[in-house]
Amino acid sequence: MPMMSVCSMTSCSPNQRLPHHPRASEYLLSAQERWSYEATLNSIYARAGIAFKKMDQETDDHIGIELEFMSLLAERMAENESNRLELHAAIKAQADFLENYMLPWVPAFCRELDAAADHTLYQTWAETVSAYLNEDLHNLRVYAAEQQLFR
């Protein structure tokens, strides 16, 4: 089932709009720092060998792109369970990306979405995403410890 574009969620009803676009730089940085932040993300994606086909106004710090990146890293983790070095790299990449790039801003976006949404679908999505990211980070750390990957 295709996931609904987060771009469509920036307009919650004809009378309501979110104060910010679903982009990290809108929540974390001043205008002059936005380009540098996106360049850093682009470098992270390139080091992982991933290039995105972006839609509409998506930028490297758009929540849709960041969630897709996490999805691709999770696929790599699953594909490399028998290769400890690759497994370690995939888990570390996911944990670092969650902690340093997603969790600093996504909860604020989700609170705004929840407050602006006029439909329970969007409110539930906002609550679920924020909670899931925190739980995912916790589960990655637990799994890494069980596998004795991080010391």
Side-chain angles (χ1 to χ4, degrees):
M1 178 177 184
M3 189 161 68
M4 180 178 288
S5 169
V6 178
C7 288
S8 66
M9 289 191 282
T10 60
S11 179
C12 299
S13 76
N15 299 322
Q16 295 176 308
R17 282 195 63 76
L18 290 173
H20 299 98
H21 294 283
R23 300 176 47 193
S25 58
E26 301 250 350
Y27 288 84
L28 299 175
L29 308 169
S30 65
Q32 65 267 27
E33 295 172 308
R34 287 182 183 159
W35 183 88
S36 176
Y37 185 85
E38 285 185 57
T40 300
L41 287 177
N42 187 276
S43 176
I44 290 168
Y45 302 152
R47 280 194 310 265
I50 298 171
F52 295 103
K53 181 178 180 183
K54 298 174 188 153
M55 299 169 42
D56 298 321
Q57 301 292 321
E58 288 178 333
T59 57
D60 285 326
D61 67 333
H62 188 278
I63 192 169
I65 298 294
E66 290 188 1
L67 289 172
E68 186 174 356
F69 180 66
M70 287 297 298
S71 173
L72 294 168
L73 291 177
E75 285 178 24
R76 284 189 182 167
M77 188 177 116
E79 292 168 356
N80 291 297
E81 280 189 307
S82 61
N83 181 331
R84 289 183 59 77
L85 186 59
E86 291 294 325
L87 180 61
H88 176 269
I91 291 173
K92 183 161 178 30
Q94 287 180 79
D96 288 348
F97 196 77
L98 278 167
E99 190 169 35
N100 297 309
Y101 293 94
M102 294 199 78
L103 286 172
W105 76 275
V106 171
F109 165 71
C110 288
R111 284 189 299 275
E112 284 185 359
L113 178 60
D114 185 40
D118 62 357
H119 194 284
T120 57
L121 171 69
Y122 300 121
Q123 293 166 333
T124 302
W125 188 90
E127 293 168 15
T128 303
V129 167
S130 193
Y132 177 79
L133 294 178
N134 283 299
E135 184 158 337
D136 193 29
L137 179 58
H138 172 76
N139 290 338
L140 285 165
R141 289 178 174 157
V142 167
Y143 183 71
E146 289 172 352
Q147 300 297 313
Q148 300 179 349
L149 295 173
F150 299 153
R151 294 178 193 216

